[in-house]
């Protein structure tokens, strides 16, 4: 299934978790002394829909406290500000979709230059990663894997079921992106 199909079929808990995971992977390496994981409260809101509004506010405050105004952090702040407080409905799906696009665009930005960059994200989301670099293709596969993992969680499962595995996959993706950013900075420097 394509990312578009997987997002369309995902339940509310899965959408919240997928969106949080996408934003988490986009966070740059924290500056010395900065909060290492400002989106951590959001993960608790993924497990418990009733806690979502409070955890969303905590994550926004933690992200606002980060020093610097790196463009990616600004985009994450904007998306957090647009997250629906009630964690339901079409707004949540649109938010998760926007988080997916941001994560793919951030990964594409660290891949080597490729022709047709503007179309690559859309093609990857539709299930055609041909021509995508390793970072974009890897992020596309990671998003699909997370959505598939979340789809396997039944309604009867405990609230936090599967979140640890999703967080592990997301953290590995974050390490991959940070390593690519670091490599690219060394080459330029």
């Amino acid at each position: 299934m394509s990312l578009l199909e997987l997002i369309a079929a995902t339940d509310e808990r899965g959408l919240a978790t997928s969106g949080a995971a996408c934003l988490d992977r986009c966070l740059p390496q924290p500056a010395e002394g900065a909060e290492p994981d400002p989106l951590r409260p959001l993960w608790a809101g993924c497990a418990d829909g009733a806690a979502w509004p409070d955890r969303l506010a905590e994550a926004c405050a933690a992200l606002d406290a980060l020093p610097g105004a790196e463009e990616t952090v600004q985009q994450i702040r904007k998306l957090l500000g647009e997250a629906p407080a009630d964690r339901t409905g079409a707004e949540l799906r649109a938010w998760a979709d926007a988080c997916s696009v941001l994560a793919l665009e951030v990964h594409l930005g660290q891949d080597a230059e490729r022709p047709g960059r503007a179309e690559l994200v859309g093609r990857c989301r539709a299930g055609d990663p041909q021509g995508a670099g390793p970072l974009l293709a890897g992020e596309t596969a990671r998003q699909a894997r997370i959505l598939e993992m979340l789809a396997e969680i039944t309604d009867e499962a405990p609230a936090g079921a599967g979140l640890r595995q999703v967080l592990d996959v997301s953290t590995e993706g974050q390490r991959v992106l940070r390593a690519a950013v670091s490599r690219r900075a060394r080459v330029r420097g």
Side-chain angles (χ1 to χ4, degrees):
M1 290 179 79
S2 72
L3 283 178
L4 296 172
E5 293 166 324
L6 288 167
I7 290 170
T10 300
D11 66 11
E12 292 167 350
R13 179 173 52 173
L15 291 169
T17 303
S18 174
C22 285
L23 296 181
D24 201 41
R25 286 191 299 281
C26 293
L27 285 172
Q29 183 71 35
E32 190 171 321
E35 167 64 48
D37 196 0
L39 298 183
R40 179 67 67 188
L42 201 55
W43 289 96
C46 292
D48 178 6
W52 175 259
D54 293 337
R55 300 300 174 252
L56 179 60
E58 287 177 37
C60 286
L63 199 62
D64 286 345
L66 288 180
E70 186 175 321
E71 182 180 347
T72 302
V73 173
Q74 291 176 8
Q75 291 172 310
I76 294 169
R77 281 183 184 130
K78 180 180 182 296
L79 281 172
L80 279 180
E82 294 171 355
D86 61 3
R87 206 185 93 164
T88 60
E91 290 176 341
L92 180 64
R93 193 167 311 283
W95 177 76
D97 191 63
C99 295
S100 168
V101 170
L102 175 62
L104 292 169
E105 288 174 346
V106 167
H107 282 75
L108 176 62
Q110 295 302 319
D111 254 332
E113 288 296 319
R114 305 218 176 272
R117 290 174 59 91
E119 299 160 11
L120 277 174
V121 168
R123 283 203 343 255
C124 283
R125 288 171 43 84
D128 177 16
Q130 185 176 352
L135 289 175
L136 179 57
E139 175 61 13
T140 302
R142 193 172 298 107
Q143 286 187 29
R145 181 173 171 211
I146 286 171
L147 288 164
E148 288 165 352
M149 288 168 62
L150 292 166
E152 293 175 4
I153 301 170
T154 65
D155 289 337
E156 294 79 35
L163 290 183
R164 181 76 243 166
Q165 292 87 347
V166 169
L167 184 57
D168 289 346
V169 171
S170 191
T171 299
E172 180 58 31
Q174 188 181 67
R175 279 190 222 119
V176 168
L177 182 61
R178 287 178 178 176
V181 169
S182 178
R183 241 186 340 270
R184 197 166 192 187
R186 282 193 308 270
V187 168
R188 286 186 198 157

